[in-house]
């Protein structure tokens, strides 16, 4: 089967600042929570840090040339807040703005549309020291930071994403602590979630003020596809709870101007939500020109069985503190079937289900896949090539699943593959490879994997090649 996605469909790839840039002390950049966290023994596998990463900061023009050779129509990158404001407030650093301004110019010169994310997890450490996302002030500072970036790049960048995966920032950062800053404070995590929603709203105003109707405002969520293990009431309720604290906690304040009543009830023993001030939900209720969807895998949950050992294979790393605030009785079942190197199950039908579900809930809302891809333990063959058929199959099947959702009516505008190149995979350091371009971390050499050639063929035709098409990968 060869599906045609049409000429307007935006094909691209994604990265994030801390994961690829390196040069963490250059250009006056301040420290972020990930610099501090990765330098703390035991937090990141083998003590890896983003100090060098893929050295993109120094190799940016060559990397953009590579994107052009791949035929990308769009490139999603993030701006490192501490490059713009080293301590999270005050005037913008010229060197920081200049780096992103040059990146944007290179992209436009190569015919590639920039898709800018303002926050992909690098909070200035000084703001964490002042309370971090559980503190309201951080949201206000984010609005100011957004205005500085809009002011500098809004003449050339039209696609603005405020936050990447605020669920991870709030609940992995402040509840389970497997991500920076590594705190384990359930009430603080809920306050962080609200302040991230508020930050989205304030940054959204900056985008609308700066660009008016020219701008496309977006928010990227890692929406969880949570299936109940059975139709028993307890299992259905487990799925409802996780949907509330993973998905609706962000969707509803932004798209409906409310918090879900069931979420407030589920978490009443943890917090009284008094951090939500009068008028906040008017600020968060920005609407969106396009919702960014990150999807990798699905999950199965059930009500924990009293007296039985409880599995918590939620795919977000081991911690004695749960990210699932207000859901102590929910169990995540072990994953089955083929797994990626992250231990995540491969479930393209979850992608279709997610997109069709969003379309039914918000029929007018355009959608964009802002991340999808897979980590596998790639090896360099004696011929110097990286043959990664499992990644090709994964991307093929998920793009097909996007096509299925479009046939069912979902308004999907594009697909941005995670990731353009291997990079620093957070708590797993350089031990997980998501790129279609391989990075040799000794030499920093870039090598096209077979998946890169395959993706180039997909982009150039707008049709889905077979995962084993012999004509796609050159000899
Ligand atoms: C997402 C992150 C991204 C990358 C992928 C694998 O949660 O947004 O930075 O790490 O997972």
């Amino acid at each position: 089967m060869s599906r045609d996605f049409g000429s307007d469909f935006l094909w691209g790839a994604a990265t994030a600042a801390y994961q690829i840039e390196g040069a963490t002390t250059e250009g006056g950049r301040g420290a972020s929570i990930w610099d501090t966290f990765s330098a703390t023994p035991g937090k990141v596998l083998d003590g890896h840090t983003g100090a060098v990463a893929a050295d993109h900061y120094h190799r940016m023009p060559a990397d953009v040339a590579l994107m052009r050779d791949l035929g990308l129509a769009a490139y999603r990158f993030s701006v490192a807040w501490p490059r713009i404001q080293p301590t999270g407030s005050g005037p913008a650093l010229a060197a920081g703005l200049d780096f992103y301004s040059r990146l944007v110019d290179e992209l436009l010169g190569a015919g590639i549309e920039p898709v800018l994310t303002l926050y992909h997890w690098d909070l200035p450490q000084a703001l964490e020291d002042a309370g971090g996302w559980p503190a309201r002030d951080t949201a206000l500072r984010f609005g100011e930071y957004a205005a500085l970036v809009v002011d500098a790049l809004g003449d050339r960048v039209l696609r603005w994403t405020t936050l990447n995966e605020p669920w991870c920032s709030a609940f992995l950062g402040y509840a389970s602590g497997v991500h920076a800053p590594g705190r384990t404070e359930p009430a603080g995590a809920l306050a962080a979630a609200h302040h991230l929603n508020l930050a989205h709203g304030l940054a959204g105003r900056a985008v609308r003020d700066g660009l008016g109707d020219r701008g496309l405002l977006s928010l990227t969520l890692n929406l969880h596809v949570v299936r109940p293990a059975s139709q028993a009431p307890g299992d259905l309720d487990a799925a409802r709870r996780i949907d509330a604290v993973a998905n609706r906690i962000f969707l509803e304040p932004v798209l409906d101007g409310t918090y879900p009543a069931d979420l407030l009830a589920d978490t009443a023993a943890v917090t009284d939500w008094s951090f939500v001030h009068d008028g906040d939900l008017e600020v968060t209720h920005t609407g969106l020109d396009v919702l960014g969807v990150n999807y990798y895998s699905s999950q199965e949950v059930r009500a924990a069985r009293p007296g039985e050992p409880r599995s918590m294979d939620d795919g977000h790393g081991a911690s004695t503190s749960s990210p699932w605030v207000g859901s102590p009785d929910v169990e995540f079942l072990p994953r089955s079937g083929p797994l990626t190197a992250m231990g995540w199950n491969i479930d393209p039908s979850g992608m279709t289900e997610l997109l069709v579900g969003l379309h039914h809930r918000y029929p007018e809302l355009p959608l964009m896949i802002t991340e999808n891809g897979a980590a596998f333990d790639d090896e360099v063959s004696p011929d110097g090539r990286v043959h990664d058929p499992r990644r090709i199959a994964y991307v093929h099947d998920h793009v097909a699943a996007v096509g299925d959702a479009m046939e069912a009516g979902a308004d999907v505008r594009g697909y941005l593959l995670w990731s353009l190149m291997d990079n620093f995979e957070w708590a797993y350091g350089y031990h997980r490879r998501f790129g279609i371009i391989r990075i040799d971390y000794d030499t920093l050499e870039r090598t096209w994997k077979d998946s890169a050639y395959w993706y180039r063929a997909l982009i150039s035709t707008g049709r889905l090649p077979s995962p084993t098409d012999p004509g796609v990968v050159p000899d």
Side-chain angles (χ1 to χ4, degrees), residues 19 120-121 164-165 168 294 296 344 371 418 425-426 434:
Q19 297 181 273
H120 201 126
W121 306 354
N164 175 69
E165 301 191 353
C168 294
N294 292 356
Y296 291 93
W344 297 343
E371 287 181 27
W418 185 273
E425 178 44 42
W426 309 114
F434 273 92

